Amino acid sequence: MTNFKTLDDLGDIRGKVALVRVDLNLPMKDGRVTDDTRVRAAVPTILELADAGAKVLLLAHFGRPKGERVSTQSLSMVVETVRNVLGREVMFIPEIAGPVVAQAIGILGEGGIGILENTRFWKGEEKNDPDLAKAIAANADFYVNDAFSAAHRAHATTEGLAHVLPAYAGRAMQAELEALEKALGKPAKPVAAVVGGAKVSSKLDVLKHLVTKVDHLIIGGGMANTFLAARGVDVGKSLCEHDLASTAEEILTAADAAGCTVHLPYDVVVAREFAPNPPSVRTCNVHEVAADEMILDIGPAATEALADVLKTCRTLVWNGPLGAFETPPFDTATVSLARTAAALTGEGSLVSVAGGGDTVAALNQARVGDQFSYVSTAGGAFLEWMEGKDLPGVVALQR
Ligand code: ADP
Ligand code: MG
């Protein structure tokens, strides 16, 4: 995964035109940007190129306009935010190809920065139309992809452009690929994976891939219930996919064959009602769950045993909370194990990589989001990578 060109491979780029694919699909409310994390991730690449004298044209999609110009989804709405985060002047260019872009490039000085219009206003973007890629490329000298979060899609500006221009990974893309390589590509062993979250069905491919890759597979969250039920445990009213019992068995058999130890909880936290600090909350052995109870977190004995497992490991990859962490006290196991992982990372004995929307929120709730080796905010692309899939946007950079 690591044989791609980076900004270090660029020669003199003074006055050259760079097309930089970034993630500007920013969360908005009432026409205002509510979180600029994605812009901040792109800052190092943008400023490095601008400071080397390139004319930097940012390419990004926003929402799902499906090949039509939709004024409420124009990237003009994020210009102000990008300007503020960069602390530089930023020009908005209402096209992605053609004479309007050429004219704007003529106006931009060396080191100038422009944002092109929402790439999904053009039907050829999601179709990965080579003619669209060529038209966009016609105005530029090279292409930089800094949007790992869009790399699982083969679109004109995430994949196609890499075939028609010299292509480089931006700094954020480079950091993500290097972290992922350390976690599952060529990891230091033993390797542990934590997989949690609500449902087995949404992470079947992740589980199937991980059993062939890791030494310890730790299963928590609602999906642990499906595995426990498959093993004959009565999980009461817990969230559980009973129809996936045989699939769960197959995964356990595959793990066995691959020499991967699967860790299921042997104690759990249950309650009769799903509410903050319900009076009925109690801890019990998995074999003691009553018919009217729900498993909402893994128990303290299981959590302690898992901490001991992590202490023997050199690498950890984590996706999915161990319990219903949004509702106290069902965040206890997730917070505790996250803090153990953070401490081991701090001591230098563990490389820890985590990803997933709710996982990132849970790590931040545990106040250790910045103490893992790497936390991916890429969502879909991160999960596809955990499934062992090749990401088209990454593969294209390697050619
Ligand atoms: P991510 O976004 O990190 O990939 P998921 O979306 O797969 O994670 O899962 C997160 C959700 O799983 C959370 O909303 C959490 O409340 C829920 N969850 C975890 N454990 C349980 C459980 N035992 N019962 C019900 N829901 C659970
Ligand atoms: Mg989620």
Side-chain angles (χ1 to χ4, degrees):
M1 275 270 252
T2 43
N3 71 53
F4 46 83
K5 288 191 192 139
T6 71
L7 303 192
D8 297 326
D9 299 302
L10 284 166
D12 181 11
I13 54 171
R14 194 157 294 282
K16 297 260 169 70
V17 177
L19 284 169
V20 184
R21 182 59 159 93
V22 290
D23 185 350
L24 296 179
N25 200 20
L26 309 182
M28 307 258 279
K29 208 179 165 198
D30 305 327
R32 298 183 71 96
V33 174
T34 55
D35 182 2
D36 61 11
T37 308
R38 288 171 169 168
V39 182
R40 284 187 279 115
V43 167
T45 294
I46 297 169
L47 292 187
E48 186 172 340
L49 293 168
D51 290 345
K55 299 182 178 188
V56 181
L57 300 182
L58 303 182
L59 276 170
H61 74 271
F62 183 75
R64 297 178 186 273
K66 303 220 162 98
E68 312 280 338
R69 273 190 190 266
V70 179
S71 61
T72 54
Q73 295 183 354
S74 169
L75 271 182
S76 60
M77 293 187 306
V78 308
V79 171
E80 189 66 34
T81 301
V82 175
R83 201 175 274 151
N84 290 340
V85 173
L86 286 173
R88 300 272 171 102
E89 199 40 60
V90 173
M91 181 195 280
F92 178 67
I93 304 164
E95 296 286 338
I96 55 172
V100 170
V101 178
Q103 203 171 29
I105 291 167
I107 297 165
L108 280 177
E110 286 179 4
I113 300 164
I115 299 183
L116 302 177
E117 185 53 285
N118 186 348
T119 57
R120 289 193 184 166
F121 283 5
W122 287 266
K123 289 198 168 60
E125 165 71 331
E126 293 186 71
K127 288 188 182 141
N128 200 4
D129 178 356
D131 291 335
L132 180 63
K134 273 182 220 148
I136 300 169
N139 283 313
D141 296 298
F142 63 99
Y143 166 71
V144 175
N145 189 347
D146 212 24
F148 177 82
S149 58
H152 57 315
R153 303 206 166 99
H155 293 173
T157 66
T158 63
E159 203 270 352
L161 278 173
H163 297 288
V164 290
L165 282 174
Y168 304 84
R171 294 304 182 196
M173 172 73 89
Q174 180 186 353
E176 180 106 22
L177 294 178
E178 285 169 359
L180 298 188
E181 180 71 10
K182 266 194 211 161
L184 278 187
K186 292 196 183 69
K189 290 191 146 249
V191 185
V194 171
V195 184
K199 288 185 171 179
V200 171
S201 52
S202 63
K203 293 184 182 173
L204 271 181
D205 291 334
V206 171
L207 292 166
K208 284 180 184 164
H209 179 59
L210 287 178
V211 294
T212 68
K213 285 277 180 183
V214 305
D215 305 288
H216 296 277
L217 177 62
I218 293 165
I219 301 178
M223 55 203 306
N225 303 338
T226 299
F227 279 86
L228 291 170
R231 290 224 156 155
V233 171
D234 185 351
V235 297
K237 283 197 340 196
S238 303
L239 176 65
C240 179
E241 293 168 291
H242 290 283
D243 54 323
L244 288 180
S246 62
T247 308
E249 283 297 348
E250 280 166 33
I251 290 168
L252 294 173
T253 308
D256 221 32
C260 166
T261 307
V262 177
H263 300 266
L264 289 170
Y266 40 81
D267 65 340
V268 286
V269 179
V270 297
R272 280 201 297 276
E273 63 280 357
F274 185 25
N277 301 304
S280 63
V281 65
R282 69 181 188 110
T283 298
C284 68
N285 183 282
V286 290
H287 295 290
E288 295 164 357
V289 179
D292 62 348
E293 287 179 322
M294 285 171 282
I295 301 173
L296 292 165
D297 198 8
I298 69 170
T303 308
E304 210 179 302
L306 294 177
D308 286 338
V309 171
L310 293 192
K311 283 172 196 156
T312 69
C313 290
R314 293 289 159 272
T315 304
L316 167 67
V317 35
W318 185 330
N319 170 256
L322 297 174
F325 76 100
E326 301 94 334
T327 310
F330 309 113
D331 59 338
T332 308
T334 304
V335 167
S336 167
L337 199 66
R339 288 187 177 155
T340 301
L344 293 169
T345 305
E347 289 166 15
S349 75
L350 191 69
V351 170
S352 52
V353 174
D358 293 293
T359 309
V360 174
L363 295 186
N364 287 335
Q365 190 169 311
R367 294 191 306 275
V368 295
D370 54 350
Q371 294 168 43
F372 271 51
S373 309
Y374 192 81
V375 176
S376 174
T377 54
F382 180 83
L383 268 185
E384 288 200 18
W385 165 78
M386 285 215 24
E387 293 168 355
K389 291 198 180 129
D390 282 333
L391 308 183
V394 175
V395 173
L397 287 179
Q398 291 169 328
R399 288 188 191 178

